[in-house]
Amino acid sequence: MKKGFRALLDEANAEVEAISPDEAAALLGDESVTFVDLRDPREIEREGNMPGARHCTRGMLEFWIDPESPYHKPFFATGNTFVFFCAGGWRSALAAKTAQDMGLEPVKHIGGGFGAWKKAGLPVEPAVKKS
């Protein structure tokens, strides 16, 4: 293997700003900031949501960001600051670096992810189960 996940994480964390859950919470409600939840739908059903976060599974990120993609989502073209998070901070570090490499800026991610968010006692909404 040329480069393992730890090397990729080290590179991502060297290039992308990681913010604490408290720093992220201070940005809630700021219309110039978009929170992007990268967790799998089953994780969201089990653990709940961050209020106001947009959901984008990690596997669709590049397609949703690129305006040339048939899957592009307009919220990625707003010029907002994007704060990515996952369950523990690994996927979000990699996703934020990918988004930054694609030209999306500014980007950040929540160190420790949603797990750290919940541990800090920050707001969590129950997930709405899709029928």
Side-chain angles (χ1 to χ4, degrees):
M1 179 165 290
K2 288 186 178 186
K3 194 181 290 189
F5 81 95
R6 293 202 188 279
L8 291 169
L9 283 171
D10 288 345
E11 287 176 8
N13 283 314
E15 292 184 33
V16 176
E17 180 182 0
I19 61 174
S20 71
D22 288 333
E23 290 170 312
L27 300 173
L28 278 180
D30 183 334
E31 292 185 15
S32 70
V33 177
T34 300
F35 286 88
V36 181
D37 187 344
L38 298 159
R39 295 175 299 148
D40 180 273
R42 291 174 301 253
E43 292 175 284
I44 295 170
E45 276 187 23
R46 190 173 51 246
E47 299 291 326
N49 296 316
M50 176 190 293
R54 304 298 301 251
H55 180 244
C56 175
T57 60
R58 179 63 188 94
M60 291 303 294
L61 181 68
E62 293 85 348
F63 302 102
W64 284 22
I65 290 173
D66 186 346
E68 299 299 316
S69 165
Y71 302 104
H72 173 70
K73 298 294 182 189
F75 75 86
F76 278 115
T78 60
N80 279 2
T81 296
F82 291 88
V83 179
F84 294 91
F85 67 96
C86 61
W90 289 4
R91 287 173 286 178
S92 60
L94 297 174
K97 182 180 182 312
T98 296
Q100 185 172 279
D101 290 349
M102 292 179 74
L104 200 66
E105 56 182 25
V107 299
K108 305 169 190 269
H109 84 104
I110 300 175
F114 193 69
W117 177 271
K118 283 181 73 170
K119 187 174 182 178
L122 295 166
V124 175
E125 297 177 334
V128 176
K129 291 188 180 187
K130 294 182 180 178
S131 49

